[in-house]
Amino acid sequence: MPITEILAILGLGAGAAMGMGALCAPEWAAGVVRLKADPKKGGGYSEFRATYGGLLLMLHAVALVIVLITPPAGSALVVLPIALAWLGAAFGRCVALLFDRQRLGNARIIPIWMATEVALSLAIAAPVLQFLP
């Protein structure tokens, strides 16, 4: 198995694990993203379980299965949107650092999350990146 596929498998596995964690423990997900459910409106925990849980879990798990059962060229098209989504998350944090600095408070964690998102993006994109000159 090429190292590029191993990197993608590790990145997709990490994304699926985060999704599983949020699905099983929405309190954990709420703490990670530093948001909390609004008791006046209700349904907040279903959002953590759905968006941070089920969506991340299934998106990454299905791509992981596809990477495992297809040749590298076939899996490249599957992983590209997911890799770019993680890169988009890092970009969103850059925008927040530029425009929301006063609202961010103690933002020391933001560069760490950005580095994590870029690393996940590169790992998941490895099957695509191997075809670049």
Side-chain angles (χ1 to χ4, degrees):
M1 179 177 292
I3 187 71
T4 55
E5 284 187 14
I6 293 169
L7 289 171
I9 288 166
L10 291 173
L12 292 167
M18 284 187 268
M20 179 62 84
L23 188 64
C24 296
E27 303 86 11
W28 170 78
V32 169
V33 297
R34 293 172 307 285
L35 296 173
K36 61 182 180 177
D38 184 351
K40 295 177 186 173
K41 295 183 181 178
Y45 277 92
S46 72
E47 191 62 34
F48 291 122
R49 288 189 198 272
T51 305
Y52 296 105
L55 187 136
L56 279 178
L57 172 63
M58 294 306 291
L59 176 70
H60 291 83
V62 168
L64 179 62
V65 169
I66 292 171
V67 167
L68 288 170
I69 65 172
T70 62
S75 62
L77 293 176
V78 171
V79 298
L80 187 59
I82 300 169
L84 291 176
W86 280 108
L87 194 60
F91 176 72
R93 290 187 199 277
C94 286
V95 171
L97 284 174
L98 290 172
F99 295 107
D100 303 326
R101 186 149 316 260
Q102 291 180 344
R103 290 183 236 170
L104 294 176
N106 183 359
R108 290 183 294 189
I109 192 74
I110 292 176
I112 294 167
W113 277 115
M114 288 169 57
T116 302
E117 290 158 349
V118 170
L120 278 170
S121 176
L122 291 173
I124 293 169
V128 176
L129 299 174
Q130 73 178 338
F131 294 111
L132 297 179

